[in-house]
Amino acid sequence: MSSAQPALLEQLSPRLVPELRVYLDRHRGSVMEMIQSGGEAAGMPASRAYATAFDGLLSALFHAARAAMIAKKTWREVSLAAVGSYGRGALALYSDLDVRLLCLGHKDSVGPIAEALLYPLWDSGLSVGHQVVSPDDTVELARRDLPTATSLLDWRHVAGDAGPAEAQLGRVFEGVFGLGNLRGFLETLATQASEREERYGDSVYLLEPDVKNGAGGLRDLDVAHWAARARWRIDDLGDLLKLGVLVSRELDPLLAARDFLWRVRNLLHWLAKRRSDRLSFDAQESLAEKLGYGSGGPSVEHFMSDYYRHARTVQRARDMVVGRALPPPTRKPRTEPLDNGLRLTNDEVSIEHPALLESDPAVALRVYWEAVRRDLPVYEFARDQIARAASSESFGARLRESPESAELFVKLVKNIKRTRLKKRSVLKELHDVGLLVAMIPEFAPVVGRAHHDIYHVYTVDIHSVAAVDRLRRLWRGDLASEYPLASRLAAEVARKNVVFFATLLHDVGKDLGGRNHSERGAGLARTILGRLGLPESDIVEVQHLITKHLRMYHVATRRDVDDPRTLEEFCSEVHGREGLKELYLLTVADVSTTSPTAMTSWKARMLEELYLAADRFLVDGHHARDDVAAQRTIDSVKALTGDLDAERVGKLMNALPERYIFANDPDAIAHHLRFIIGAADELVRITVLGEEDPYIEVCVVADDRLGLLSLIAASFAANHLKVIGAQIYSFKDTRGRHRILDMFWVRGGTSAETGRRAIPRVERDLRRLLQGEISPTELIQRPVSSLGARPAPDVPTRVSVDNRAASDQTVVEVVTRDRPALLFRLARAINLNGFTIELAKINTEGIRVADVFYVTDEGGTKVTERARIEELKNRILSSIEELEREGNAS
């Protein structure tokens, strides 16, 4: 025992703490057996059993202390209560034990009693949160302090005289949660829930969600419970069915979600052997297997998809219960009749009568069209009634039978006006209330559909809705400075139906999780769009765009746009110039909403370059550069470099590859030329061109040689910089020397400034490599950071060699997990086979890389001998395996 522990406890039992530990070990072991089974008992049953075990423990301690202190005439009347999740009768495996001692007299006199209860618990290794409180102080504090108010809503008597606690709770409910104060309490509850979401991530669809505090987590269940208990005095959310607050089709999914989240949280605690609420990637894999989903990526995706669906249910139910708990307004609302069963209520669009939703389901969409048309919000009561109706399958079936519903839904999907709806998004609102799935039931399987990687941040449904919202902003011109070409093309596109519905449905085929989701989605689109009444010509184009929606991104990031064969093949898959515009807009909307950082300016530039080259090809019928545009660029560059030697500038412009002129804007080219001229007398020089936090764009000018790319990559790796994109150009300078002008998009940690500070060291190391002072292997032997690497989903390695994809080079494509020094190892493996890298397309998506190298043999031609191709593939695979072994060893 602690030396500070009161002597009273020694008198109670010299073996008190050892006995407590035996008791705790026995009950914790029993609960652990329930949890590690992974079955239904792992959730609420285990947590309730654990809470019950502590009820017995605390009651025994309380009565033992009471008997001893009565004998010494030092006892003061107190009662012991549980609060928090323990108060609600459920305790996670390693959660804190939250208790309150309620006294009627002076709180200081209760100190010995608190010590008698708490010291044994602390000495037994338990984490206990406690307070000694009085009724008056508690009631007063509850009026202005939300945690105190919610603890009183959780209050559960454990031991002692229950009378004072009951009297206190009666005063609290009257004084704090009475109808006069209830609205303020509920609004504070909702505000703090929103603030918590901002801290932990404002979407349920985060890669590694927090099961307790994240959006749609157990804390949101608590919020629903507190709102319901304050309003209706219920003991459990299940009581809301008897009160008619929730119907069974609303309550049943909520209770299922509660059980699921408790199973997940208990298993997280069991797995970590401590309190742990973050569902990390490695935990996802362990829990998927424990919960019966199986092992491997698809099983984890299935598990996480269920998690996100349950989290979405909890988040929606939280808002629903809080909204329904609000007391009726004290003043009669202002109303104004509208046509077709609608009315204005306090200048918000509402329904004349909720019964209309049964007799005239289209009124649900009529509400939203009127709100968009009039630029007004939707009345909260009407929104809630629509959400309740939309949860019924029979309502959805009747809604889809209405031609008016189809017409209104199509108009809402392609509406580009700003709105005053929640989150300012028509489609998000339709999805939140259930009308999106009611109109497109084929969308239901992708709700919550997750990818087990760190590139696709959002689930399929949320990503699809965000992509449509991105289109709206392009159409309105909101993103003209960020995406000038896309914004201009959006204004020119003739088939609005095609672009918006192709974007909405481009991933609808991911319900099966197969690799042919584009073809699957195209088939589903025909059924969906036929039901919505779109013309056959639009349906055909939407199907085509869905089938090809990944093609433009892959060509831009993995192929040489300057190769006539690349352009010819790509343009053969596009339905003319109008189809090219539509595919470009779909691609921009898709990539830019895959994750917050997916569309770098580097990728945007590559997509724009492909669009412009393909558009010229479609006009001319063959691969041709736009000479007018090229000359315009050259003229602009000359104007920007007027202070330099014009003849020297002209020679350099002629020496640089033609594709360089089209891939860079005049300002960048002028900057590059100044840099090239300034570095003319140096073996190598490196500078930072720009930044897009956490990335920086780096320019390298150096003497060319075989294997130079691998040396540059080694210098980056040795200084903890990860290459995620590259442009590589060779040229002869005005002195006839072979030089390179390479641009790299790199990341050096969590901020651009970190990478910027490393560039002088990169230049120093590259100079040493070029001068032969150190070998790449020696340089790489220095500790190489993995940029804060942490457990993440695996990426299968694939190496392919293609002699058909390019006119004059062999295309080597490597897809694998990103690792420190990967680019160096790949480039070195290619060079060791005697091949020259003519062009590299470096593309990083989260931890997945798709690096493509255009290579030639010693004679400058394609690599055609089968034996050499196999040797190259094996060398690349061996390099990756070596990196993996080194990573595991470290």
Side-chain angles (χ1 to χ4, degrees):
M1 288 189 181
S2 166
S3 60
Q5 191 170 341
L8 170 66
L9 298 183
E10 293 281 4
Q11 298 170 11
L12 293 178
S13 170
R15 289 187 47 80
L16 181 59
V17 170
E19 288 170 358
L20 286 180
R21 286 175 178 160
V22 170
Y23 178 93
L24 288 171
D25 288 345
R26 183 172 70 250
H27 285 280
R28 182 176 286 165
S30 175
V31 169
M32 279 188 174
E33 287 181 7
M34 298 172 71
I35 292 172
Q36 66 188 10
S37 71
E40 296 296 331
M44 290 295 289
S47 297
R48 292 197 187 283
Y50 205 34
T52 300
F54 277 102
D55 284 352
L57 174 65
L58 290 173
S59 293
L61 273 175
F62 184 89
H63 290 295
R66 182 175 182 273
M69 296 179 77
I70 285 176
K72 290 182 170 292
K73 298 182 180 180
T74 57
W75 177 254
R76 299 291 182 269
E77 284 302 324
V78 298
S79 62
L80 179 67
V83 296
S85 67
Y86 178 40
R88 295 187 294 276
L91 194 61
L93 187 58
Y94 287 101
S95 289
D96 290 349
L97 195 68
D98 288 323
V99 296
R100 298 290 184 270
L101 275 169
L102 179 67
C103 66
L104 296 179
H106 199 281
K107 287 188 290 186
D108 291 343
S109 64
V110 185
I113 301 174
E115 291 176 343
L117 290 171
L118 295 173
Y119 272 101
L121 299 175
W122 288 333
D123 287 347
S124 299
L126 294 172
S127 178
V128 184
H130 73 286
Q131 279 185 316
V132 178
V133 298
S134 67
D136 290 338
D137 290 347
T138 304
V139 172
E140 181 61 31
L141 186 59
R143 290 192 174 99
R144 61 179 187 274
D145 181 64
L146 186 65
T148 302
T150 58
S151 72
L152 291 173
L153 292 170
D154 293 334
W155 190 284
R156 181 172 60 84
H157 179 75
V158 174
D161 184 0
E166 291 177 357
Q168 176 193 19
L169 288 177
R171 291 170 57 201
V172 167
F173 278 118
E174 181 64 28
V176 180
F177 307 121
L179 289 180
N181 299 313
L182 183 60
R183 179 175 290 275
F185 167 74
L186 293 174
E187 289 175 349
T188 302
L189 197 62
T191 298
Q192 293 212 359
S194 298
E195 292 173 353
R196 172 174 47 80
E197 283 184 1
E198 290 180 7
R199 289 197 304 273
Y200 287 91
D202 61 357
S203 172
V204 300
Y205 310 104
L206 295 174
L207 293 170
E208 297 178 301
D210 188 295
V211 178
K212 180 182 178 183
N213 291 299
L218 286 164
R219 184 60 78 207
D220 279 340
L221 274 170
D222 298 342
V223 171
H225 170 83
W226 292 327
R229 181 152 172 74
R231 179 69 168 86
W232 297 290
R233 314 300 195 252
I234 56 100
D235 293 319
D236 184 82
L237 288 172
D239 297 335
L240 295 177
L241 182 64
K242 292 179 286 187
L243 294 173
V245 177
L246 298 177
V247 295
S248 58
R249 66 174 180 268
E250 296 169 331
L251 179 64
D252 291 346
L254 176 59
L255 296 183
R258 180 177 68 179
D259 291 342
F260 182 89
L261 291 177
W262 271 103
R263 287 169 71 194
V264 169
R265 190 183 187 207
N266 277 334
L267 279 166
L268 281 173
H269 284 208
W270 169 79
L271 188 69
K273 302 296 183 283
R274 58 179 174 80
R275 184 174 60 187
S276 175
D277 298 322
R278 175 69 66 181
L279 195 45
S280 60
F281 283 121
D282 51 341
Q284 290 171 23
E285 294 178 0
S286 299
L287 264 64
E289 192 163 359
K290 203 69 183 170
L291 290 167
Y293 290 90
S295 59
S299 297
V300 178
E301 289 180 358
H302 186 189
F303 161 55
M304 290 306 296
S305 294
D306 280 352
Y307 174 86
Y308 291 130
R309 279 192 285 269
H310 285 306
R312 177 176 170 80
T313 295
V314 169
Q315 194 177 41
R316 293 174 69 181
R318 178 202 70 188
D319 293 342
M320 190 185 303
V321 172
V322 172
R324 293 175 189 178
L326 288 169
T330 55
R331 295 181 181 179
K332 186 177 180 180
R334 303 186 313 277
T335 62
E336 178 185 338
L338 300 174
D339 295 333
N340 299 316
L342 304 181
R343 69 180 180 188
L344 293 182
T345 302
N346 293 337
D347 296 322
E348 297 179 347
V349 181
S350 185
I351 302 172
E352 189 65 38
H353 195 281
L356 280 174
L357 288 165
E358 289 296 318
S359 59
D360 182 15
V363 73
L365 288 163
R366 222 176 286 143
V367 164
Y368 282 102
W369 178 245
E370 195 68 19
V372 169
R373 193 177 70 83
R374 291 175 175 264
D375 191 23
L376 292 173
V378 170
Y379 190 52
E380 189 62 33
F381 178 76
R383 184 184 188 274
D384 184 60
Q385 292 301 308
I386 291 170
R388 172 173 280 193
S391 66
S392 165
E393 291 184 8
S394 62
F395 172 85
R398 296 196 310 277
L399 188 72
R400 292 189 295 275
E401 291 172 357
S402 163
E404 182 191 1
S405 294
E407 181 183 352
L408 289 171
F409 182 75
V410 171
K411 289 164 68 175
L412 286 166
V413 167
K414 63 182 183 180
N415 166 72
I416 64 169
K417 287 179 59 180
R418 293 183 179 85
T419 74
R420 294 174 61 189
L421 302 174
K422 284 193 173 182
K423 299 183 181 178
R424 300 295 188 266
S425 165
V426 175
L427 206 54
K428 281 181 184 174
E429 175 71 1
L430 295 181
H431 192 23
D432 282 349
V433 299
L435 289 176
L436 174 56
V437 171
M439 287 299 295
I440 306 180
E442 295 87 350
F443 206 73
V446 300
V447 173
R449 176 76 171 83
H451 301 84
H452 190 48
D453 61 36
I454 65 171
Y455 182 62
H456 295 84
V457 171
Y458 307 111
T459 54
V460 173
D461 57 322
I462 296 304
H463 160 65
S464 301
V465 169
V468 174
D469 283 339
R470 180 56 51 91
L471 274 185
R472 298 186 206 286
R473 298 189 66 195
L474 290 172
W475 240 268
R476 291 198 301 259
D478 295 350
L479 303 174
S481 59
E482 189 175 353
Y483 300 107
L485 176 61
S487 299
R488 176 172 64 81
L489 295 179
E492 298 174 0
V493 165
R495 299 180 297 209
K496 196 174 176 184
N497 279 348
V498 170
V499 184
F500 273 86
F501 277 95
T503 303
L504 175 61
L505 302 176
H506 74 279
D507 276 346
V508 73
K510 284 188 174 178
D511 59 336
L512 297 182
R515 298 183 66 179
N516 63 341
H517 77 275
S518 298
E519 294 180 8
R520 163 78 172 157
L524 290 171
R526 171 159 289 281
T527 302
I528 295 166
L529 301 180
R531 188 171 61 236
L532 292 175
L534 264 67
E536 174 65 18
S537 58
D538 285 357
I539 294 175
V540 169
E541 294 303 325
V542 169
Q543 286 186 290
H544 174 73
L545 286 176
I546 292 174
T547 302
K548 301 294 182 183
H549 78 272
L550 296 173
R551 186 65 178 146
M552 191 169 200
Y553 175 72
H554 285 165
V555 172
T557 58
R558 302 185 188 182
R559 292 294 178 264
D560 181 9
V561 176
D562 290 282
D563 192 318
R565 182 173 298 184
T566 298
L567 273 184
E568 183 177 1
E569 182 180 340
F570 173 68
C571 289
S572 70
E573 301 177 76
V574 174
H575 284 185
R577 297 182 72 197
E578 191 68 20
L580 176 63
K581 291 178 186 177
E582 293 164 349
L583 182 58
Y584 177 73
L585 288 171
L586 169 56
T587 304
V588 169
D590 181 17
V591 176
S592 64
T593 54
T594 298
S595 77
T597 58
M599 180 66 94
T600 62
S601 57
W602 193 282
K603 288 181 182 177
R605 205 153 61 214
M606 288 190 287
L607 284 169
E608 183 173 334
E609 182 185 2
L610 174 57
Y611 171 81
L612 295 172
D615 189 56
R616 288 191 296 271
F617 187 96
L618 291 170
V619 170
D620 299 330
H622 59 86
H623 179 49
R625 285 298 191 183
D626 186 342
D627 292 336
V628 174
Q631 190 58 51
R632 189 163 54 242
T633 298
I634 292 170
D635 291 343
S636 297
V637 171
K638 288 180 178 178
L640 291 167
T641 56
D643 57 320
L644 300 177
D645 183 334
E647 182 180 357
R648 192 173 188 181
V649 168
K651 286 182 178 179
L652 284 174
M653 291 282 285
N654 290 332
L656 285 161
E658 188 181 33
R659 61 185 174 88
Y660 166 80
I661 304 298
F662 288 95
N664 295 275
D665 61 48
D667 286 335
I669 294 172
H671 192 166
H672 299 162
L673 292 177
R674 291 181 184 279
F675 186 58
I676 291 170
I677 292 171
D681 296 326
E682 298 189 33
L683 177 65
V684 59
R685 182 181 285 186
I686 303 178
T687 190
V688 176
L689 294 176
E691 61 185 59
E692 185 178 311
D693 212 26
Y695 309 105
I696 59 172
E697 187 175 3
V698 178
C699 181
V700 180
V701 171
D703 286 344
D704 199 3
R705 66 171 67 181
L706 179 66
L708 179 58
L709 177 60
S710 69
L711 300 182
I712 297 172
S715 302
F716 282 134
N719 290 281
H720 318 318
L721 296 179
K722 180 169 68 173
V723 178
I724 64 165
Q727 287 187 58
I728 297 174
Y729 304 104
S730 299
F731 67 98
K732 277 188 180 181
D733 68 8
T734 53
R735 302 175 187 177
R737 291 182 303 167
H738 290 277
R739 302 277 274 174
I740 60 100
L741 171 66
D742 292 353
M743 271 74 74
F744 296 91
W745 200 236
V746 302
R747 177 176 180 174
T750 58
S751 70
E753 180 57 30
T754 304
R756 184 183 287 275
R757 288 199 301 266
I759 294 306
R761 299 193 301 273
V762 173
E763 181 177 315
R764 179 201 63 200
D765 287 342
L766 181 55
R767 181 174 286 107
R768 293 175 66 206
L769 288 170
L770 291 171
Q771 291 173 337
E773 297 175 7
I774 189 173
S775 72
T777 305
E778 291 171 326
L779 186 65
I780 292 296
Q781 281 178 349
R782 295 185 341 207
V784 177
S785 166
S786 57
L787 297 180
R790 53 183 300 180
D794 192 25
V795 178
T797 295
R798 176 174 56 83
V799 179
S800 62
V801 179
D802 188 350
N803 271 313
R804 297 170 300 175
S807 301
D808 303 314
Q809 299 94 16
T810 295
V811 178
V812 180
E813 183 170 331
V814 182
V815 177
T816 189
R817 177 173 176 158
D818 195 16
R819 298 172 177 89
L822 175 65
L823 179 58
F824 160 67
R825 298 296 181 98
L826 296 179
R828 186 180 65 167
I830 293 170
N831 295 146
L832 287 175
N833 271 68
F835 304 137
T836 299
I837 299 172
E838 304 285 351
L839 172 70
K841 303 280 276 191
I842 310 302
N843 187 33
T844 304
E845 300 169 347
I847 62 166
R848 179 180 183 269
V849 298
D851 291 350
V852 178
F853 304 92
Y854 282 66
V855 306
T856 57
D857 63 13
E858 297 86 344
T861 61
K862 291 184 178 183
V863 183
T864 55
E865 298 92 336
R866 182 177 298 275
R868 296 198 71 187
I869 290 174
E870 289 303 313
E871 181 185 2
L872 174 61
K873 290 172 68 174
N874 290 334
R875 192 185 291 274
I876 290 172
L877 289 169
S878 296
S879 296
I880 294 171
E881 290 168 0
E882 182 183 350
L883 268 178
E884 186 173 1
R885 287 193 299 271
E886 292 173 1
N888 293 335
S890 63

